[in-house]
Amino acid sequence: MTEPEAAYPHTMRLQRFLARAGVASRRGSENLMTAGRVTVNGQVASELGTKVDVDRDVVAVDGCRVELAAGPVYLMLNKPAGYLTTMSDPQGRPTVAELVPTSTYPGLFPVGRLDFDTTGLLLFTTDGDLGQALLHPSHHVDKTYVAHVDGRVTGKDLEPLCRGIVLDDGPCQPARCRVLKPGQALCVCPQGIPRGTSVVEVTIHEGRKNQVKRMLSAVGHPVLALHRPRFGSLRLGDLAPGAWRLLTAQEVDSLKQR
Ligand code: URA
């Protein structure tokens, strides 16, 4: 457990091992260690410098053995506003790569994109096949957005979107749309819906550039803020803005079955 890292290619810091095994974030794993809840080969390992040999050491949290999952990784990020959906930006602007554990999971990439100012569920994976499949037009999954828009929207205003409108890059498939009440709109209007504005939920199957913003502008209600709480079968739930978590095995299965 204490050999130098260079001598053992499969040696890594314990907090990294725990994060990679999906126990908690790197910081959360450090907290578990300092709380004395982590053992290596039966001995409490509270030193943050502790290293483990992935092939030989037995790591446990609260007495339960923790092992590294083999194979590809899938995680969701609650993207905050102000980040580009790219893994690097030549102009040095903030990117989502800063928010996900790229050193623990090299090869992570985002599946699809959210605009710089859009918040919500962004899926990442190292599984190139699944990523490509989900991005392919024939396999697109439903994506649900909550939009804070200018103006007072009625169900009637949304009818063209439900029928399928034509944008400048071609016709849109029919969307599912509804006007939300203040209690359903907290993700974009936590203080209540300001007078003269509305909040609508829009579910689309395609994934064209700025599609939801363009659709809502086309019916006379420009978007003021946009949030994605659902991507296919995945739900953001109470994941905090800027936080990520690994998908459960069930969530991965349901994505693959989509
Ligand atoms: N539609 C948009 O207009 N923007 C997004 O970020 C996602 C969907």
Side-chain angles (χ1 to χ4, degrees):
M1 128 186 191
T2 51
E3 285 89 344
E5 192 149 23
Y8 293 96
H10 283 94
T11 303
M12 66 171 80
R13 282 173 179 266
L14 181 52
Q15 56 266 47
R16 183 174 179 192
F17 176 94
L18 293 169
R20 186 160 188 174
V23 170
S25 65
R26 190 85 70 93
R27 174 63 62 85
S29 300
E30 288 175 0
N31 291 341
L32 289 172
M33 289 170 65
T34 50
R37 293 171 58 186
V38 183
T39 56
V40 177
N41 303 327
Q43 289 188 311
V44 172
S46 49
E47 282 271 327
L48 295 182
T50 302
K51 292 189 177 141
V52 284
D53 183 321
V54 173
D55 297 326
R56 297 188 317 184
D57 289 327
V58 176
V59 177
V61 175
D62 294 336
C64 295
R65 179 147 190 201
V66 173
E67 288 173 282
L68 286 190
V73 166
Y74 309 86
L75 63 85
M76 68 166 78
L77 168 73
N78 185 354
K79 179 192 171 296
Y83 289 84
L84 291 173
T85 303
T86 176
M87 295 310 275
S88 71
D89 179 51
Q91 295 172 44
R93 291 167 294 181
T95 74
V96 292
E98 295 164 32
L99 303 171
V100 293
T102 47
S103 57
T104 308
Y105 305 116
L108 269 182
F109 66 92
V111 178
R113 68 185 292 279
L114 292 175
D115 294 337
F116 185 73
D117 55 353
T118 301
T119 61
L121 200 164
L122 189 58
L123 173 68
F124 285 79
T125 184
T126 54
D127 180 346
D129 291 340
L130 184 74
Q132 284 309 313
L134 290 171
L135 290 176
H136 193 275
S138 62
H139 291 116
H140 274 164
V141 296
D142 282 351
K143 291 160 281 277
T144 298
Y145 296 88
V146 175
H148 179 211
V149 298
D150 195 24
R152 296 292 301 274
V153 180
T154 63
K156 198 159 176 50
D157 296 326
L158 299 175
E159 279 172 11
L161 305 183
C162 301
R163 283 198 300 271
I165 54 160
V166 180
L167 294 176
D168 50 13
D169 56 351
C172 295
Q173 292 173 15
R176 289 200 304 280
C177 306
R178 63 185 179 125
V179 180
L180 297 185
K181 298 189 171 70
Q184 300 169 312
L186 298 175
C187 57
V188 284
C189 292
Q191 321 284 1
I193 303 174
R195 197 181 289 274
T197 68
S198 310
V199 175
V200 298
E201 184 184 81
V202 179
T203 300
I204 57 171
H205 196 68
E206 305 134 291
R208 278 146 58 182
K209 199 163 194 279
N210 303 135
Q211 186 170 345
V212 174
K213 290 178 185 166
R214 290 190 293 136
M215 286 167 67
L216 286 163
S217 284
V219 293
H221 295 286
V223 170
L224 306 170
L226 189 63
H227 176 77
R228 180 162 75 185
R230 294 203 285 277
F231 178 89
S233 51
L234 303 177
R235 306 278 181 275
L236 201 51
D238 57 8
L239 192 64
W244 61 269
R245 71 165 175 83
L246 292 174
L247 300 194
T248 64
Q250 266 179 347
E251 286 173 326
V252 174
D253 282 349
S254 68
L255 265 186
K256 288 184 175 168
Q257 279 162 17
R258 83 210 160 262

